[in-house]
Amino acid sequence: MAISSNMHDDIEETLISEADLQARVRELAAAIQRDYAGKDLVLLGILRGAIMFMTDLARQLSMPLNMDFMAISSYGNATESSGVVRILKDLDDAIEHKHVLIVEDIIDTGLTLRYLMEILENRNPASLAVCALLDKVKEREKLIAPMYTGFEIPDRFVVGYGLDFAQKYRNLPYIGVLKPSVYSE
Ligand code: 5GP
């Protein structure tokens, strides 16, 4: 693994630019603002990948809301999600009777989210929905929750704007694909 001193040098291709990300976040916020007007909204960010998206989204919303975070890890190996989730950090506050919007970085197989939603449904929120920045286009069973999606992307491994490779590249302001040399050397 060879990570350059300038992260941008490791990017083969920019998939979504910073300007496009920011424009789409504003659109998503407008839809959320409309749908949740007058409701007691909790933005539930999934650590660590959703941090950039969560903070940008929250700043575009003008209604009062709560922000809470969960850290989860998926059992299984690094590349394949098993769909069984271990909670590393739980929410600080109860969500009973609250309108909960899960803010997630990316949906791949959808297994992580499905399992997480089961756990959260058992806590009796008033409603439970998902706002995912990226959605990999692939065959999967439909998620039951209503959903906001930022961008549909091809089934490639992406980094940036919260998403990591070996815990690096989260601070890239755009979404990109790594050069193969980063993995192989
Ligand atoms: P799923 O259970 O939907 O297969 O996995 C979702 C999780 O896998 C995401 O929250 C993210 O942490 C990780 N993941 C899936 N695809 C990618 C990707 O292309 N890049 C990065 N950095 N993480 C990914």
Side-chain angles (χ1 to χ4, degrees):
M1 189 167 84
I3 294 177
S4 305
S5 57
N6 183 338
M7 292 181 304
H8 303 282
D9 294 339
D10 291 341
I11 302 301
E12 182 173 79
E13 187 190 337
T14 301
L15 224 54
I16 307 167
S17 71
E18 185 173 4
D20 287 350
L21 283 170
Q22 296 303 330
R24 186 69 184 125
V25 169
R26 279 194 293 275
E27 287 176 359
L28 290 169
I32 292 165
Q33 183 109 334
R34 207 176 46 231
D35 297 348
Y36 287 90
K39 292 182 175 162
D40 200 354
L41 176 64
V42 179
L43 291 184
L44 194 180
I46 307 301
L47 298 172
R48 295 174 233 178
I51 45 168
M52 303 296 185
F53 180 39
M54 171 93 161
T55 54
D56 280 349
L57 188 68
R59 271 178 288 202
Q60 295 298 327
L61 294 167
S62 56
M63 75 250 245
L65 53 80
N66 286 21
M67 294 169 74
D68 209 340
F69 296 90
M70 255 175 126
I72 55 178
S73 90
S74 176
Y75 287 111
N77 61 37
T79 52
E80 197 88 10
S81 171
S82 67
V84 179
V85 166
R86 189 161 53 109
I87 298 177
L88 302 176
K89 181 220 167 289
D90 206 339
L91 295 171
D92 287 335
D93 302 323
I95 54 167
E96 195 171 9
H97 309 315
K98 302 263 172 82
H99 293 273
V100 177
L101 183 60
I102 301 172
V103 180
E104 179 61 305
D105 51 359
I106 186 165
I107 303 178
D108 185 359
T109 61
L111 289 171
T112 304
L113 208 48
R114 180 183 299 267
Y115 197 81
L116 183 64
M117 274 163 34
E118 251 178 63
I119 295 172
L120 295 172
E121 281 290 4
N122 285 330
R123 300 183 186 180
N124 296 320
S127 70
L128 187 60
V130 178
C131 180
L133 178 69
L134 306 175
D135 188 357
K136 282 191 185 172
V137 180
K138 55 164 67 173
E139 281 289 315
R140 72 167 88 93
E141 279 183 54
K142 266 185 94 74
L143 288 164
I144 326 104
M147 199 164 115
Y148 303 89
T149 309
F151 300 87
E152 292 194 338
I153 60 163
D155 193 7
R156 299 170 75 182
F157 187 81
V158 294
V159 295
Y161 198 61
L163 289 149
D164 75 307
F165 169 66
Q167 296 305 331
K168 299 291 193 289
Y169 305 100
R170 291 192 198 275
N171 55 321
L172 277 178
Y174 52 86
I175 301 281
V177 176
L178 288 172
K179 291 177 181 165
S181 58
V182 180
Y183 305 94
S184 52
E185 276 169 38

